[in-house]
Amino acid sequence: MAMQELSVGEVARRSGVAVSALHFYERKGLVRSLRTAGNQRRYSRDVLRRLAVIRVAQRVGMPLEAVGAALAELPEGRTPTKAEWAKMSARWRAELDERIRLLGFLRDQLTGCIGCGCLSLKRCRLANPDDMLAEQGDGPQRWE
């Protein structure tokens, strides 16, 4: 194997990502493999770092489209520099800040209100009389 390529099983074991997920990520263009003469997948070692980024991003709720756009800025086949990682992560900062703000709001309001979905009928008689927020559409209108 050139450049210490890894088999799909090795990548799955080392990354903690299921083989089916690796194939899915490849179909989505998030990772790339090479094929051997026997048509077996082989991955370069940098895929482990990419998979770590994907897993962390998913854990904090980043959509795969955003992950793909960020990863597209990173070089294939080599470890990104610190500056390249910083540029990639900066793309997510505003979105993560907004998620943190919304989670804080949810934490603070959860016991009394779910944004007029509605779980707090007594309170919402004042905040949402006659279910006037229903005219704005389905779901938690104060959260959208």
Side-chain angles (χ1 to χ4, degrees), residues 17-134:
V17 173
V19 170
S20 59
L22 288 172
H23 295 171
F24 175 76
Y25 295 154
E26 192 169 344
R27 284 193 306 275
K28 292 290 186 183
L30 300 173
V31 297
R32 187 171 56 183
S33 69
L34 305 170
R35 297 293 180 135
T36 66
N39 203 29
Q40 294 179 334
R41 283 181 170 90
R42 292 290 184 258
Y43 295 90
S44 62
R45 293 175 59 79
D46 75 306
V47 77
L48 297 173
R49 193 166 305 222
R50 287 175 177 270
L51 290 168
V53 169
I54 293 166
R55 291 187 74 193
V56 168
Q58 285 186 301
R59 192 167 202 162
V60 298
M62 296 298 296
L64 282 180
E65 294 78 25
V67 176
L71 289 174
E73 292 187 6
L74 297 180
E76 287 282 345
R78 74 165 171 80
T79 302
T81 65
K82 185 176 180 180
E84 288 166 336
W85 280 114
K87 182 178 178 186
M88 183 200 76
S89 64
R91 294 181 66 150
W92 293 344
R93 186 170 188 86
E95 188 169 344
L96 287 172
D97 286 344
E98 178 63 9
R99 287 176 188 269
I100 290 166
R101 186 190 70 75
L102 287 173
L103 286 170
F105 183 74
L106 173 62
R107 178 200 61 223
D108 296 344
Q109 300 297 319
L110 190 58
T111 57
C113 177
I114 195 63
C116 279
C118 176
L119 295 180
S120 177
L121 296 176
K122 287 183 182 180
R123 180 173 176 187
C124 286
R125 284 188 193 139
L126 297 174
N128 186 24
D130 300 319
D131 196 24
M132 64 186 184
L133 290 175

